[in-house]
Amino acid sequence: MNPLLPDMQQTLALLDNMQPDTHLLHVLHALQEALQCIPPAAVPAIAGKLGLPISQVQAVIEFHAFFHQSPRGQYRILFSNCPQCGFQVAGGNLLQHLRSLLHVKGDATREDGRVSIAETSFIGMCDHGPSLLVNGLPVSGMDMEKLDLLAILIERQTPVSSWPAEWMRISERIRLPGLLLQAAQLKGEAVQTGLRLGAAGILHELQQSGLRGRGGAGFGTAQKWLMTRDAQAAKHYVVCNADEGEPGTFKDRALLHLHADTLFEGMTLSALCLNAQHGFLYLRGEYRYLLPHLLDVLAQRRQQGLLGKNILGHADFAFDIEIVVGAGAYICGEESALIESLEGKRGIPRVRPPFPVTHGYLGYPTAVNNVETFLAAAQILRHGSEWFRNCGTAQSSGSKLLSISGDCARPGIYEYPYGTRLAQILQDCGADQPQAVQLGGAAGTLLDPGQFSRTLSFEDLSSSGSLMVIGQQRNLLALAQNFAHFFAHESCGFCTPCRVGSKLLSQYLDKLAAGHATCIDMELALQVCNTASLYSHCGLGKSIGNPLLSLQQYFPQLMAQCLQPDSYTPQFDLDAALFEARRITQRDDAAAHLANDYRHAHS
């Protein structure tokens, strides 16, 4: 028995204090926080408490990166491995440095149970430099000197609440406010207008405004709400997708922090259209520290008569919002995977059709939009469709929020009218002759300077909201390598094209970076990209080839320089593959290995 594991009495006492209707993710979060793990023996008790199958509880634990069944440390540190806020810095590797200072081996918890150190995909701190999460709280602007002090604080067992306050002060760098960010917070004004206009009037205003979803796909918001409303069912639901997991994106962090009232106003308008009585805000696990603030805003809106029963005195209008916090799963940003997670299951994307507008949460019609879309919808009702339509282009009305990071003088959040040239954006953020721009995060596109005259718009360059500036000193191949490993790690594993393809592409980019790849490798890798794009179950799998395809399209000379045309190094190491057979047979002598001459002869 592991002496660090909590006893069952402690676990059962925690479960007894929870309500039976508590969401599974919240039960798991609470146990993880209190016990530093979710003990395997607790799974049947959790299942019994919530009336769920044991297999379902176990599957959810295994699916999410933030849940562990072996004990984590009293101080649980997660370093971001994002290209912009990650642990690789000019002075060295921050993660390795802290592990060395605290004598932590790999991802394992230190023997005294005090500290565990691991890496995670992306924590939404790209405008604050190298960052980490400690017990779920963000610590930004890390360097070697700060880590030295951090190690001392941990060894002294200083509570995180007593660490330097400036480390955890997350300032929202709104560099260029525009249509939405300049507008005042809404505390009922849009809902009053919506009640006066009615559902048909709300939909008409949104239709006239031309508002399209700001998540990247650009589906018409009025059309989505109308389709959900027209789906015949006993219930309808509103869901806000705040699972902003695309590397380089952090605009939702600022919107949730500074514009939560307007967001909830937008969700309430949607509920008025759909005749929905219940809504969900699905908050990414990396932003869990925003939960107290968001709950306070919801409580205030209930006190003001803007949520709950009889909203603004209308007896026939009742609506409320529940927040569910994720636990480190990029795939839950896909709307059907998010709904699966809301239902207390693994976040595996659904087969579509049917779509959520007819068969969403619990099989009922559900309108899913992201934070920025709900914000825009509320402001349109407040200011009118013409106010919004007069900004942007004929096909892309309104403005777009961008999270800008990387090699620029002024990282932060910018809001631009659609139709703005990329060159103008780079000039505004202080990008000095960049060699490339990564638009749309890992799933987006790497653009060379020849593309900087293009415009931000649905008809040209569409983006979910991330723009990384890549300076001349950066290694573009290393960036693509990072994204390939990101996809391999975040694949949900449901379909073979993504599960296998993402791993193959990460191995290929490793081989390319090591200088061993050939033209044959490139042909095979492009076949994998094509197969994943055509046959993957969801958008993640269809995007896994984008880093490589962008390099090939916009930086062909770089690719040509990296390829080795005259030799072939096999990507599959047969001797290494026999490791498991040697372990099972307890053989590790020379005869159990492939001879070097055999391996070379077959290279």
Side-chain angles (χ1 to χ4, degrees):
M1 179 179 177
N2 189 331
L4 295 178
L5 278 172
D7 59 51
M8 276 302 297
Q9 286 187 337
Q10 183 183 10
T11 305
L12 293 174
L14 287 167
L15 287 173
D16 285 342
N17 290 328
M18 298 179 191
Q19 296 297 321
D21 60 350
T22 304
H23 195 282
L24 173 59
L25 287 177
H26 291 180
V27 171
L28 298 178
H29 272 298
L31 290 176
Q32 179 88 29
E33 183 67 23
L35 308 175
Q36 281 76 61
C37 71
I38 302 165
V43 173
I46 297 169
K49 176 79 174 181
L50 302 181
L52 298 173
I54 293 175
S55 59
Q56 181 175 333
V57 175
Q58 184 64 39
V60 170
I61 295 170
E62 293 175 357
F63 183 81
H64 290 89
F66 286 2
F67 294 145
H68 305 277
Q69 293 194 278
S70 58
R72 310 300 287 173
Q74 174 189 351
Y75 297 90
R76 299 172 298 284
I77 295 174
L78 288 174
F79 276 89
S80 173
N81 61 17
C82 167
Q84 305 304 339
C85 58
F87 53 79
Q88 296 283 3
V89 297
N93 186 307
L94 296 175
L95 182 146
Q96 291 180 1
H97 180 65
L98 188 60
R99 281 177 174 166
S100 176
L101 289 173
L102 292 172
H103 309 290
V104 176
K105 298 178 180 178
D107 292 346
T109 302
R110 205 167 73 175
E111 290 185 1
D112 62 1
R114 183 171 302 172
V115 60
S116 53
I117 304 172
E119 58 182 276
T120 190
S121 294
F122 170 64
I123 64 174
M125 296 292 291
C126 293
D127 54 339
H128 285 75
S131 304
L132 54 84
L133 294 174
V134 55
N135 296 355
L137 297 173
V139 182
S140 63
M142 298 308 299
D143 55 29
M144 296 297 183
E145 291 183 3
K146 283 187 178 179
L147 286 185
D148 292 343
L149 178 55
L150 186 148
I152 293 172
L153 293 172
I154 288 175
E155 295 294 23
R156 291 177 178 173
Q157 299 191 60
T158 304
V160 176
S161 58
S162 299
W163 288 15
E166 62 271 16
W167 287 8
M168 301 179 186
R169 188 175 294 117
I170 308 303
S171 58
E172 302 300 352
R173 295 168 175 167
I174 309 297
R175 302 290 190 181
L176 185 65
L179 198 67
L180 300 180
L181 294 180
Q182 286 179 339
Q185 279 257 52
L186 299 180
K187 297 181 182 291
E189 297 90 341
V191 175
Q192 287 177 336
T193 301
L195 286 166
R196 176 173 54 82
L197 293 176
I202 295 172
L203 292 171
H204 176 75
E205 281 296 306
L206 293 179
Q207 184 69 46
Q208 290 299 110
S209 75
L211 175 63
R212 298 166 68 171
R214 268 29 185 177
F219 194 81
T221 303
Q223 185 180 357
K224 176 180 282 191
W225 290 10
L226 179 63
M227 292 169 67
T228 309
R229 175 183 173 83
D230 287 348
Q232 297 298 313
K235 298 179 181 178
H236 294 73
Y237 288 92
V238 175
V239 173
C240 176
N241 181 350
D243 192 28
E244 171 183 74
E246 199 64 59
T249 309
F250 47 87
K251 62 183 178 62
D252 283 3
R253 186 198 72 209
L255 296 179
L256 292 166
H257 187 196
L258 302 177
H259 294 267
D261 261 305
T262 306
L263 160 64
F264 294 138
E265 190 107 345
M267 294 179 68
T268 307
L269 283 170
S270 181
L272 183 57
C273 276
L274 310 182
N275 193 28
Q277 295 189 356
H278 199 91
F280 292 98
L281 172 69
Y282 190 94
L283 181 68
R284 70 186 305 243
E286 292 83 351
Y287 290 168
R288 186 175 178 82
Y289 57 88
L290 292 173
L291 182 60
H293 162 69
L294 294 170
L295 291 174
D296 284 346
V297 175
L298 286 176
Q300 291 171 15
R301 291 183 71 83
R302 293 186 188 105
Q303 292 174 0
Q304 295 161 356
L306 299 174
L307 284 175
K309 297 180 180 179
N310 306 322
I311 292 176
L312 291 178
H314 288 254
D316 57 347
F317 185 25
F319 174 69
D320 214 332
I321 296 170
E322 177 183 351
I323 299 177
V324 174
V325 185
Y330 168 77
I331 190 61
C332 287
E334 195 276 341
E335 63 177 7
S336 68
L338 184 154
I339 290 171
E340 287 285 295
S341 187
L342 279 179
E343 293 180 356
K345 296 178 282 190
R346 294 188 305 155
I348 302 295
R350 295 176 175 177
V351 175
R352 297 183 298 176
F355 293 93
V357 291
T358 58
H359 296 78
Y361 179 69
L362 301 178
Y364 294 107
T366 304
V368 184
N369 289 106
N370 73 352
V371 175
E372 187 180 348
T373 306
F374 280 119
L375 201 78
Q379 294 292 3
I380 288 167
L381 262 290
R382 174 66 180 86
H383 297 282
S385 58
E386 187 175 351
W387 167 82
F388 193 78
R389 171 65 80 178
N390 286 340
C391 180
T393 72
Q395 299 179 54
S396 305
S397 60
S399 61
K400 182 74 188 88
L401 272 65
L402 290 179
S403 308
I404 299 182
S405 63
D407 302 313
C408 59
R410 295 176 292 279
I413 295 169
Y414 293 71
E415 183 179 5
Y416 286 99
Y418 275 120
T420 303
R421 290 194 311 127
L422 189 54
Q424 179 64 57
I425 297 171
L426 294 173
Q427 179 181 330
D428 291 344
C429 71
D432 184 18
Q433 297 183 330
Q435 66 167 322
V437 163
Q438 180 74 28
L439 188 65
T445 305
L446 185 69
L447 301 169
D448 72 349
Q451 309 302 310
F452 292 175
S453 61
R454 296 174 64 181
T455 62
L456 182 70
S457 59
F458 287 109
E459 60 267 30
D460 190 2
L461 292 175
S462 179
S463 171
S464 59
S466 166
L467 191 153
M468 295 183 185
V469 181
I470 314 300
Q472 295 291 339
Q473 77 283 7
R474 295 271 185 166
N475 185 329
L476 294 180
L477 189 55
L479 180 70
Q481 197 177 3
N482 179 285
F483 289 156
H485 282 273
F486 169 80
F487 283 129
H489 178 265
E490 294 296 342
S491 173
C492 73
F494 177 80
C495 70
T496 303
C498 178
R499 181 181 66 250
V500 177
S502 61
K503 185 65 175 177
L504 290 174
L505 287 175
S506 68
Q507 290 175 347
Y508 168 72
L509 279 160
D510 288 347
K511 188 174 182 181
L512 187 64
H516 298 309
T518 69
C519 295
I520 297 174
D521 288 306
M522 187 66 183
E523 292 175 8
L524 294 173
L526 292 177
Q527 289 179 19
V528 173
C529 293
N530 185 56
T531 300
S533 176
L534 289 174
Y535 301 112
S536 287
H537 180 58
C538 76
L540 187 156
K542 297 180 187 300
S543 301
I544 63 174
N546 286 1
L548 178 61
L549 294 173
S550 293
L551 282 177
Q552 183 201 34
Q553 180 177 359
Y554 295 115
F555 299 91
Q557 292 181 339
L558 171 64
M559 296 298 289
Q561 292 170 3
C562 294
L563 292 173
Q564 304 294 327
D566 298 323
S567 62
Y568 176 67
T569 304
Q571 190 168 2
F572 181 73
D573 187 337
L574 181 57
D575 185 69
L578 295 174
F579 169 81
E580 186 65 16
R582 289 192 292 270
R583 187 190 67 79
I584 293 172
T585 58
Q586 299 183 348
R587 289 271 309 275
D588 199 28
D589 55 283
H593 289 267
L594 293 178
N596 284 335
D597 56 349
Y598 175 90
R599 295 162 72 181
H600 290 159
H602 288 74
S603 295

